[in-house]
């Protein structure tokens, strides 16, 4: 069926469309009702259904005689390790971790925080939670203890599962001391930790609190999957909001399984048994959906890569992995391709590898610049497909659909709306804008299966953040336009979020950190263009008049504060001291005007500006 027919099918009868897709999932109790909108503006998919996501990812394939197919390929250039796990083997490890969790009192609805590097035990731990109906909360390793503590306080996990360390090029990142610090900082006290000891750096365990995960795996019984309600949360994933408090996005079991399984073929054109590689991190939504859940739901093989696009050991690493494991489709952030292109502009390293099975390269996480797309197409000789995503949705809002016959790719556009999403471009009054005009990209409610319909224990904040700007619509906080052929062009965020190397960061959170500095009177952090990372943060600080500290010391301290409180992932390295910040007469800092000045982009001087001369002061400070 073509994209057009499929999209029309969905539009004509969304519940019939999703009812059919739900048949691809094993339900312990089949849902009779497909969609419940009685609690408008909220919604619930497959409300009476019961299932187990881990069963659908692992046991079902083993029971269907596919247990010897590879589920996971772990390739770690940083430890020079390559291990393959069949579905049977991954199930075995998962069921034992579930046993260990159960022995320590974890059951349905309990939260388990996972702070681990890209190792198979991280994936098995996520699946083990799903097996018990427990809710996993994975935190990306590049976040500092303070961020970890915030997530501990909000999610109140019964257990933390951590690795002893992660490995970044040139340095070992000890996770365990960060876990200890986070537990110390957090108001909510975690009593039990499972630690996976990596040979490269073993952690000191605290007696009575910390347990060696491998020993637990070796000595635990396997447990059976526990059926849960479709609406029960599978996981909470924290993502940046406009303040320092991250948003705990809740993903429900039923809708997630249905939408993700469907997406494997519809979006990526992947068959069971084929190899898919999402070169992301399990700490991000792409990792949750396309390293872990979707490939396994589909009976495909997923690659878990613990390395970087360049430097581990070189810019041929991606092509080595694709060639070595016969990857059919891969997914990464444009930053990764830009890094490779910078090192290997003529694609010489690509030519070294046989990529005969490689059919498609998918991109998401940040705007893909047309020049990178063109470079990749020229050298990889496969379609380069950009698609639009959010942590909130868990799968592509828009794209170009390999399972529905690809249509023409327009470099710079994220393709057309996915069946399931009615995307429109709205003006400030919520009216649909004519084709080609920039506005707010919004999605008509109800959102399709898998999309979060609440924040962890905070429906009110969800409503305020997403549902109140336009009545009857979900505000994506992305601005862009839709052209007259229905292609969506995602151009920028409308809030204080920046996309730095495909990582979603809050400039508001960085400002909160900077304002704690005793010598800073006020500050603004804005996103500026960066050739490699797309965007990076830049701080503008006004120093207290009585301050006697040298400027360089203050700058250095602010950089360290953001690194220590948010984490190295914030990539906060640029700070400028200014005398004043440009503001409106009502006192709102003109952050987008500041970014335009730094990026040398044209900008309109806002009519409400308090003092225009400050803009020249900013330009002078940048010289
Ligand atoms: N644990 C601990 N630290 C981490 C980390 C992790 N999991 N991931 C990143 N960091 C650290 C890095 O070591 C770096 O620290 P440094 O300041 O001491 O150098 C810092 O966080 C910034 O990391 P990053 O933004 O990744 O920049 P980089 O310069 O180290 O690497 C790229 C540049 C292009 C190689 C890298 O950004 C990349 O692979 N990008 C692809 C992004 C991606 O896959 N995004 C997922 C969304 S789909
Ligand atoms: P995250 O929740 O971390 O996945 O980040 C979501 C945000 O990343 C979106 O709101 C967009 O701003 C941006 N984004 C994701 N995919 C794309 C894309 N293909 N093109 C442009 N921006 C994107």
């Amino acid at each position: 069926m073509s994209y057009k027919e499929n999209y029309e099918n969905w539009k004509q009868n969304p519940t019939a469309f999703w009812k059919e897709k739900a048949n691809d999932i094993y339900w312990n109790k089949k849902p009779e009702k497909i969609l419940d909108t009685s609690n408008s503006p909220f919604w619930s998919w497959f409300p009476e259904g019961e299932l187990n996501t881990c069963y659908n990812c692992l046991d079902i394939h083993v029971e269907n005689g596919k247990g010897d197919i590879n589920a996971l390929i772990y390739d770690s250039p940083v430890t020079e390790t390559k291990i393959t796990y069949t579905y049977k083997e991954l199930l075995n490890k998962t069921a034992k971790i579930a046993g260990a969790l159960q022995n320590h009192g974890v059951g349905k609805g309990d939260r388990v925080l996972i702070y681990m590097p890209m190792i198979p035990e991280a994936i098995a731990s996520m699946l083990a939670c799903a097996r018990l109906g427990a809710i996993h909360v994975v935190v990306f390793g590049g976040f500092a203890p303070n961020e970890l503590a915030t997530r501990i306080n909000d999610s109140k996990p019964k257990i933390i599962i951590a690795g002893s360390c992660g490995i970044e090029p040139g340095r070992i990142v000890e996770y365990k001391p960060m876990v200890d610090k986070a537990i110390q900082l957090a108001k909510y006290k975690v009593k039990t930790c499972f630690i996976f000891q990596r040979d490269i750096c073993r952690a000191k365990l605290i007696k009575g609190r910390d347990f060696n995960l491998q020993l637990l795996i070796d000595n635990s019984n396997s447990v059976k999957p526990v059926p849960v309600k479709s609406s029960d949360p599978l996981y909470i994933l924290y993502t940046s909001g406009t303040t320092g408090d991250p948003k705990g996005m809740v993903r429900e079991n039923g809708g997630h399984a249905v939408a993700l399984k469907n997406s494997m073929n519809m979006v990526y054109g992947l068959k069971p048994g084929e190899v898919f590689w999402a070169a992301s991190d399990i700490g991000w939504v792409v990792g949750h959906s396309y390293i872990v859940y979707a490939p396994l739901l589909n009976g495909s093989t997923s690659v878990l890569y613990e390395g970087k696009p360049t430097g581990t050991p070189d810019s041929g690493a991606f092509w080595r992995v694709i060639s070595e494991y016969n990857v059919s489709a891969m997914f990464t952030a444009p930053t990764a391709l830009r890094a490779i292109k910078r090192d290997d502009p003529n694609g010489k390293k690509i030519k070294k590898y046989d990529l005969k099975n490689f059919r498609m390269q998918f991109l998401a996480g940040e705007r893909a610049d047309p020049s990178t797309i063109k470079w990749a197409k020229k050298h990889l000789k496969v379609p380069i497909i950009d698609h639009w995503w959010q942590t909130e949705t868990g799968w592509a809002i828009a794209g170009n659909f390999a399972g529905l016959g690809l249509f023409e790719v327009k470099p710079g556009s994220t393709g057309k709306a996915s069946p399931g999403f009615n995307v429109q471009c709205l003006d400030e009054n919520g009216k649909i804008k004519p084709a080609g005009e920039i506005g707010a990209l919004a999605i008509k409610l109800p959102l399709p299966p898998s999309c979060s319909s609440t924040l962890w224990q905070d429906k009110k904040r969800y409503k305020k953040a997403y549902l109140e700007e336009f009545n009857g619509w979900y505000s994506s906080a992305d601005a862009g336009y839709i052209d007259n052929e229905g292609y969506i062009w995602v151009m920028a965020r409308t809030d204080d979020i920046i996309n730095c190397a495909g990582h979603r960061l809050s400039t508001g959170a960085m400002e909160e950190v900077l304002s704690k500095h005793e010598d800073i009177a006020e500050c603004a952090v804005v996103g500026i263009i960066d050739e490699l990372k797309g965007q990076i943060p830049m701080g503008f600080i006004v120093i207290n008049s009585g301050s006697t500290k040298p400027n360089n010391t203050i700058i250095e301290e602010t950089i360290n504060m953001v690194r220590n409180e948010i984490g190295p992932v914030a990539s906060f390295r640029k700070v400028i001291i200014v005398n004043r910040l440009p503001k409106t007469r009502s006192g709102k800092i003109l952050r987008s005007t500041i970014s335009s000045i730094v990026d040398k982009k044209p900008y309109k001087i806002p009519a409400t500006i308090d003092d225009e001369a400050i803009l020249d002061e900013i330009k002078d400070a940048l010289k």
Side-chain angles (χ1 to χ4, degrees), residues 237-240 249 284-286 331 334 363-368 385-394 397-398 412-415 474 476-479 488-495 497-499 502-505 535:
L237 179 58
Y238 287 89
T239 187
S240 300
M249 215 55 65
W284 306 117
V285 66
V286 173
F331 179 166
L363 297 176
E366 57 178 320
R367 190 170 148 68
I385 300 170
D386 186 10
H387 58 336
W388 175 36
W389 261 75
Q390 292 192 326
T391 303
E392 287 81 347
T393 64
I397 307 165
S413 158
T414 59
Y474 164 89
S476 71
D478 277 318
I488 297 168
W489 300 71
V490 180
M491 306 307 286
R493 291 282 302 196
T494 57
D495 55 12
I497 301 287
I498 61 168
N499 289 304
H503 310 317
R504 173 164 160 180
L505 301 169
Q535 275 184 305

Side-chain angles (χ1 to χ4, degrees), residues 485-486 536 621:
E485 291 179 304
I536 51 167

